[in-house]
Amino acid sequence: MAHPRVFQLANLLQPCIKKKALLSGKAIHAQILTSGFSLDTFLSNRLVELYSQCNQFESALNSFYAIPNPNVFSWNAILCSVSKSGNIDLAHQLFDQIPEKNVVSWNTMIGALARRGQEEKALDLYHGMIQQGLMPSHFTFASVLSACASLIDLVDGKICHGLIVKVGLDSNLFVENALLAMYTKCGILDDATMLFDEMTRPNEVSFTAIIGGLVQSGCIAEALRLFARMHRNNVCIDQVAVSSVLGACAKTEEEANSPDQISFSYTVGQAIHAIVLKHGFESESHVGNSLIDMYAKHGNMEKANFLFKSLPSINVVSWNVIIAGYGKNGDADKAIEMWKLMQEYQFEPDEVTYISMLSACVKSGDTETARQMFDKIKSPSVASCNAILSGYCQNEDHVEAIELFREIKFANLEPNRTTLAIILSSCSGMGILTLGKQVHAAAMRFILHEDMFVSSGLVDMYSKCGDIEAARQVFDRMTDRDVVSWNSMITGFAYHSLNREAFSFFKIMKEDGMSPTESSYASVINSCTKLSSLPQGRQAHAQIIKDGHDIDTYVGSSIIDMYAKCGIVNEARCFFDSMPLKNIVSWNEMIHGYAKNGYGEEAIKLFEYMLDTKKKPDSVTFIAVLTACSHSGFVDKGIKFFNSMQIEHGIEPLADHYTCILDALGRAGCLRDIKLLLEKMPCTDDPIVWEVVLSACVVHGDASLGRKAAEELFRIDPKNSAPYVLLANIYASTGRWADATAVRKLMSDRGVIKDRGYSWIHNKSGVHAFMVDDFLGLVDGNGRKSNCDAHSHEICAA
C-alpha cells in the first residue's frame, strides 16, 4: 500500500496539472525529490502529466525515463505528451515499445497521426487495432472518421460506420458529429442529411458540420434555413457556424437565379450581422472577414470598408477580402490603393492577394497592370496563371495569352481544365488551327480531353478554325454534353453556312431534353436569315416567344435581321418597337434593314430618333444610315452624316463609310466629286471602293475614271472577273468596240473566268438553287437540267 505522503503530494499536484501552474508544480517536484519518493511510479506519472500540460516536453520525457518500472499509465502519459509536442517519429517509437498496449495507447497514437496529416498511417494502425481484437471507443472512431474525411475515403468511412452501429455507439453524439463531418466532406450530402435528421439532440457542432456541407455543395437556401432552425431551437451559436452561414450569404449573390434570392440572402446576412453583434463575435477576425466578404459580394463596399476599419486585429486574409471586394465591384484603382496600403502596414501580400489584384485589373480591362501583378508572384500557381490568361482572352489579347501559355508549359506547370478552355478560346479568336491541335494533344496527355468543359472548347475551336468535321468528331465522342457543347456545334454549322445541319442539330438538341438558350436561338435565327427562309424563321420566333427568350437583346437583334433580310420590314419594326431593352446592335439592324429594303427615309428618321434618345451611335450605325442615304438618293444627308462622324461623335471613318459616300455620289452622277474624294481618302487599297467607283462609271459612261478603277482592281485582285466585264461594258456602251475586245482578250490571256450566276426559288419542298451555264442553259446546283426555261429563270432571279 502506498505511503500516505504519496497521496498527499499527488493531491497537491492535481490542481497544478489542471491550472497548468508550472512553478507550483516544480516546487512540489522538489518536495518529492527531498522526501525520497522520486522512484514512485504513481507520482512520476503525475509529473509527466504536469510537464506535458505545461508544454515542458523535455521535462516530461526526463520524468518518464526516471521511472524504474513504468506501467501502462506511464507509457500512455508520455505517449500523449510526445504526440502533443508534434514529434510523431518518437511517439511511434514509444508506441512500439509499450509492452502491453490498451485502447488508450492505440487511441492516442491513431489520434496523433490523424491530426498530424498522416491519415493513411492512422487508418493502418486502426486496422491493426481491430486485428488485435481490441474494441474501439468513441475516441477511436472520431479519429478514424476524421482521417477518412481528410482522405475523402468514403469506403473506409462506411465500413467504420457499420462497426459503429454494431458496437452500439451510433447514438453517441461525439461519434455522430464525426460521421456527419465525414459524409459532408466526402460530398455525400443525402447521407449526411439523413444522419442529421435522425440525431436526437444535435448540438452546435452538428449544425455547423451540416451547414458547412450544404454551403460547400451549393445548397445555399437549405443552409440558411438550417441556421434559422438552429437559432429557433436555442442551440448555442458559435463563431464557426456564423462564418459558414455568412459564406452562404456571400455565395448566393453569385449563384442565385433571381433578384429575389439575392435580396433574401442579403437580408439574412444583415440579420446574422445582428446576431454577431449580440454574441460579441465582431472582434473575432474570422467572423469579421466573413462579414466583410458578404457585404463586398453584395456590392456594399461602404459597409465592407467600415467593418474592415473596425476590426481590432487585421490579418492578411482581411486585406485579401477587401481587395477582392473592390476588384469584384470593378474598382481597380481602389483595389490597388488598398494593396499599397497593405504593404505600408508591413503585411506581405500572398498569392491570394495577387490573384485578387489580377481579377480587379482584369475586370476593369487593365491587362497591363494585371500582368505586373502576375509577375510579382514568385511561384505562380495554375490558378494565378488562369486569372491572367482569362484577362487576356476577355480583352481579346490572344497573342499575349498564347505566349503566356507557352511560358507556363516551359515552367512545368500542369494546366487544368480551365487553362485549356481559356487557351482554346484564344485559338478560336485568332483562328489558329495548328495551335488548337497542339492544345488538343496536351489535353489528351493530361487526360482532360474527355472533360465536358474542355471538349466544348475543342468543338468551338475546330468549328471557328474551319474544321467542322473535327468539331463533329469531338462532339460525337463526348459522353456528357451540356448546352454549351450543343451551342458550339450549332453555331459552328451556322458559321460555315451549313444551315440545314444547324436546324437538324437544334431539333436533336431539343429531343435530347436540352433546353435551348439565347445563343441556340440566335444561331438558328441566323441560319433562317442565310437561307432567306421566312416560314422557318417564323417558327423559330414563335418558339422563342414560348420559351421567353424574346426579351433578350441578342436574340431580338437576330430576329430583326431575319425579318429585314426576308423583306418583311414592317414585322421587323413591330418587333423592334416591342423590345423592352434595345442595345446598339438592335438599332443598327433596324436601320440597316430599312436601308437594304429601299426604305431610306424611314432609316434616316429612325437614326435621327436614335440620336434624340441620346443613344450613342457606333461605326456600324453610320454604315447603315449612309447605305440608306446612298440607296435612296439622299446625297446631301449622307454627306452631312459622314461629316458628323468625327466632329460630333469621335468616330474615324473607315473604308466602308467612304464606300457608302462614293456609292451615293456615283448613283447621283457626281463623278467629279468622286475624283476629289479619292484624292483625299486614306484607304484606297480596298477593292470594294474601286468596285463602287467602277459601277458608277458603267452607269454614267465615264471610260477614263472607269479604266483607272479597273486597273486598281486588276492590281489588287487580278483573278476577279468583275472589273474586266464592267470595263468592257463601258467601252461597248460608248462604241469603243476595239477597246472592249482588247479587255476581253486581256481577261482570256490572264486566265480569268467569269463567275456563273446563281438564283434560287422557295416552294413547299424547300429552297432550290439554280446556276446559269454558258452552254447547257439552266441547270440546278447539282448539275441536273432544270425544267424551267430561260424566261422563267429570269422571273425566279428577279
Side-chain angles (χ1 to χ4, degrees):
M1 186 175 178
H3 194 280
R5 180 64 173 158
V6 171
F7 289 112
Q8 184 184 12
L9 292 168
N11 289 335
L12 290 172
L13 276 173
Q14 196 59 40
C16 297
I17 294 169
K18 188 175 181 180
K19 297 177 181 178
K20 300 181 182 180
L22 180 61
L23 287 177
S24 299
K26 281 187 173 182
I28 297 167
H29 190 179
Q31 289 184 42
I32 291 170
L33 292 171
T34 57
S35 302
F37 295 116
S38 60
L39 300 180
D40 186 86
T41 303
F42 181 65
L43 282 176
S44 296
N45 289 347
R46 300 284 79 74
L47 287 171
V48 172
E49 280 187 73
L50 167 73
Y51 289 122
S52 178
Q53 281 291 96
C54 296
N55 296 326
Q56 300 293 309
F57 302 114
E58 284 294 327
S59 298
L61 203 57
N62 291 333
S63 297
F64 171 76
Y65 285 137
I67 303 173
N69 296 304
N71 58 20
V72 67
F73 297 103
S74 313
W75 285 103
N76 288 342
I78 193 60
L79 184 63
C80 179
S81 177
V82 172
S83 62
K84 185 180 175 183
S85 74
N87 193 340
I88 297 296
D89 291 337
L90 178 58
H92 222 302
Q93 290 174 20
L94 290 168
F95 177 78
D96 291 339
Q97 292 171 19
I98 299 175
E100 293 183 10
K101 304 178 184 71
N102 63 7
V103 173
V104 176
S105 316
W106 289 92
N107 285 351
T108 304
M109 197 64 229
I110 291 169
L113 290 167
R115 286 191 303 272
R116 297 290 173 177
Q118 298 188 29
E119 292 88 356
E120 291 182 359
K121 288 184 179 180
L123 290 179
D124 289 340
L125 205 63
Y126 164 71
H127 294 312
M129 177 184 179
I130 299 296
Q131 288 173 1
Q132 292 286 330
L134 291 170
M135 181 68 70
S137 69
H138 59 288
F139 290 112
T140 321
F141 288 126
S143 297
V144 171
L145 289 168
S146 174
C148 292
S150 298
L151 294 170
I152 318 295
D153 186 352
L154 186 61
V155 175
D156 274 327
K158 284 193 170 184
I159 293 171
C160 187
H161 191 176
L163 185 56
I164 288 166
V165 174
K166 183 178 179 181
V167 301
L169 285 173
D170 51 316
S171 297
N172 181 285
L173 184 59
F174 192 56
V175 175
E176 285 179 317
N177 287 340
L179 279 167
L180 201 57
M182 185 273 295
Y183 280 119
T184 54
K185 286 184 180 177
C186 288
I188 312 301
L189 206 59
D190 290 342
D191 288 359
T193 305
M194 190 184 302
L195 180 67
F196 179 82
D197 291 339
E198 291 173 357
M199 293 176 71
T200 52
R201 297 181 65 184
N203 62 4
E204 66 273 15
V205 178
S206 321
F207 274 95
T208 302
I210 191 67
I211 288 170
L214 289 166
V215 172
Q216 186 180 359
S217 300
C219 303
I220 308 304
E222 290 83 349
L224 295 177
R225 280 194 289 269
L226 206 56
F227 182 80
R229 174 182 158 190
M230 180 182 182
H231 191 247
R232 283 196 309 272
N233 292 355
N234 293 318
V235 177
C236 178
I237 293 174
D238 60 10
Q239 297 164 1
V240 179
V242 167
S243 294
S244 292
V245 80
L246 281 171
C249 294
K251 281 192 175 184
T252 305
E253 195 277 333
E254 297 171 338
E255 300 169 1
N257 296 319
S258 69
D260 290 340
Q261 274 188 303
I262 295 172
S263 177
F264 172 72
S265 68
Y266 186 51
T267 303
V268 172
Q270 289 176 307
I272 293 166
H273 189 181
I275 293 171
V276 167
L277 294 172
K278 179 182 176 182
H279 287 79
F281 293 154
E282 69 275 9
S283 60
E284 205 281 322
S285 60
H286 188 56
V287 175
N289 292 339
S290 298
L291 277 169
I292 295 167
D293 185 49
M294 187 273 294
Y295 280 112
K297 285 183 178 172
H298 282 281
N300 191 344
M301 287 309 300
E302 184 179 351
K303 188 71 173 179
N305 194 41
F306 173 79
L307 288 168
F308 175 78
K309 291 178 178 177
S310 303
L311 280 177
S313 176
I314 295 173
N315 55 25
V316 173
V317 176
S318 314
W319 287 102
N320 288 347
V321 169
I322 196 72
I323 288 170
Y326 280 118
K328 183 184 181 300
N329 287 279
D331 194 344
D333 292 338
K334 190 67 177 177
I336 292 170
E337 180 188 323
M338 296 301 288
W339 170 67
K340 290 177 179 176
L341 198 61
M342 173 186 186
Q343 294 170 88
E344 286 178 19
Y345 280 92
Q346 306 301 312
F347 285 91
E348 187 66 30
D350 59 11
E351 185 168 349
V352 176
T353 317
Y354 286 116
I355 290 177
S356 297
M357 289 299 302
L358 274 176
S359 301
C361 297
V362 164
K363 193 173 182 68
S364 66
D366 186 0
T367 51
E368 185 178 345
T369 307
R371 183 56 188 264
Q372 291 173 12
M373 295 298 158
F374 176 79
D375 290 339
K376 289 180 183 294
I377 304 173
K378 293 178 182 177
S379 300
S381 68
V382 175
S384 53
C385 291
N386 288 348
I388 186 65
L389 283 172
S390 176
Y392 281 139
C393 192
Q394 286 173 27
N395 288 288
E396 298 186 358
D397 298 328
H398 300 305
V399 174
E400 288 83 355
I402 290 167
E403 286 300 318
L404 180 59
F405 177 69
R406 289 187 172 124
E407 289 177 25
I408 292 169
K409 288 176 69 180
F410 290 137
N412 295 319
L413 273 174
E414 186 172 312
N416 61 15
R417 63 200 290 261
T418 305
T419 320
L420 295 177
I422 293 169
I423 207 64
L424 282 168
S425 180
S426 284
C427 294
S428 300
M430 293 188 70
I432 305 176
L433 182 60
T434 306
L435 181 62
K437 287 182 175 180
Q438 292 174 9
V439 177
H440 192 174
M444 295 180 74
R445 187 167 70 252
F446 294 115
I447 320 175
L448 288 169
H449 60 292
E450 293 183 354
D451 179 90
M452 184 168 64
F453 196 46
V454 176
S455 295
S456 295
L458 286 168
V459 171
D460 182 63
M461 181 276 296
Y462 278 120
S463 63
K464 287 183 179 173
C465 289
D467 195 344
I468 196 70
E469 287 300 321
R472 178 66 187 268
Q473 288 172 14
V474 173
F475 181 86
D476 288 342
R477 283 197 298 266
M478 291 176 71
T479 51
D480 293 311
R481 303 184 185 105
D482 61 358
V483 71
V484 177
S485 319
W486 285 96
N487 284 351
S488 295
M489 204 66 236
I490 293 167
T491 304
F493 282 132
Y495 183 78
H496 291 283
S497 297
L498 298 169
N499 301 301
R500 297 188 188 285
E501 288 83 351
F503 279 120
S504 175
F505 254 66
F506 181 76
K507 183 180 178 183
I508 297 168
M509 172 187 177
K510 292 183 67 179
E511 290 172 353
D512 205 42
M514 197 69 64
S515 298
T517 64
E518 291 88 351
S519 178
S520 318
Y521 280 118
S523 295
V524 168
I525 287 289
N526 287 336
S527 290
C528 296
T529 304
K530 288 179 182 178
L531 288 171
S532 296
S533 177
L534 185 60
Q536 286 178 308
R538 289 189 194 278
Q539 289 176 22
H541 186 184
Q543 190 64 46
I544 287 166
I545 293 171
K546 182 181 177 182
D547 291 348
H549 292 303
D550 54 319
I551 61 172
D552 180 80
T553 52
Y554 181 51
V555 176
S557 299
S558 299
I559 292 171
I560 294 167
D561 184 49
M562 182 270 295
Y563 280 125
K565 285 183 178 171
C566 289
I568 315 298
V569 188
N570 289 337
E571 289 197 36
R573 181 58 189 265
C574 285
F575 181 79
F576 174 83
D577 290 337
S578 71
M579 291 176 72
L581 293 173
K582 303 177 184 73
N583 61 9
I584 189 63
V585 179
S586 315
W587 287 93
N588 290 350
E589 291 292 1
M590 194 63 244
I591 295 168
H592 202 257
Y594 274 136
K596 284 293 185 182
N597 285 279
Y599 295 89
E601 192 171 348
E602 285 80 355
I604 292 168
K605 283 180 182 178
L606 186 59
F607 173 71
E608 290 174 339
Y609 174 64
M610 176 186 172
L611 296 180
D612 290 339
T613 62
K614 306 302 181 185
K615 188 73 178 176
K616 186 175 174 61
D618 63 6
S619 180
V620 178
T621 317
F622 278 101
I623 292 173
V625 75
L626 290 175
T627 300
C629 294
S630 169
H631 288 193
S632 301
F634 298 114
V635 182
D636 292 337
K637 281 270 190 185
I639 293 171
K640 175 191 169 186
F641 293 144
F642 180 82
N643 291 334
S644 73
M645 284 179 63
Q646 200 166 21
I647 298 169
E648 296 178 21
H649 304 285
I651 299 172
E652 190 71 31
L654 303 173
D656 288 338
H657 302 105
Y658 282 104
T659 302
C660 291
I661 289 296
L662 289 170
D663 188 43
L665 293 170
R667 289 171 186 257
C670 305
L671 299 184
R672 183 174 174 277
D673 293 323
I674 286 178
K675 292 174 185 176
L676 292 172
L677 185 57
L678 287 171
E679 292 173 3
K680 298 176 183 178
M681 278 175 57
C683 42
T684 53
D685 275 344
D686 191 305
I688 300 175
V689 168
W690 295 107
E691 285 176 7
V692 168
V693 173
L694 185 54
S695 296
C697 294
V698 171
V699 173
H700 300 286
D702 190 328
S704 175
L705 182 57
R707 182 169 184 83
K708 177 177 172 55
E711 286 173 348
E712 289 290 341
L713 287 167
F714 296 161
R715 176 182 62 83
I716 297 168
D717 189 6
K719 292 297 181 182
N720 184 3
S721 63
Y724 296 93
V725 175
L726 292 174
L727 182 58
N729 288 346
I730 293 173
Y731 287 141
S733 65
T734 56
R736 296 169 61 175
W737 301 106
D739 289 333
T741 303
V743 172
R744 289 282 188 179
K745 185 176 184 301
L746 179 63
M747 180 179 176
S748 177
D749 292 343
R750 291 181 177 178
V752 179
I753 301 171
K754 181 183 175 184
D755 295 328
R756 294 187 176 93
Y758 282 86
S759 295
W760 54 264
I761 59 172
H762 184 279
N763 56 28
K764 290 182 179 179
S765 60
V767 177
H768 301 275
F770 297 92
M771 178 180 72
V772 175
D773 188 276
D774 288 342
F775 302 105
L776 298 177
L778 185 65
V779 298
D780 69 11
N782 297 314
R784 296 187 295 269
K785 187 78 174 179
S786 171
N787 292 327
C788 300
D789 58 21
H791 179 66
S792 65
H793 174 260
E794 289 172 5
I795 294 173
C796 293

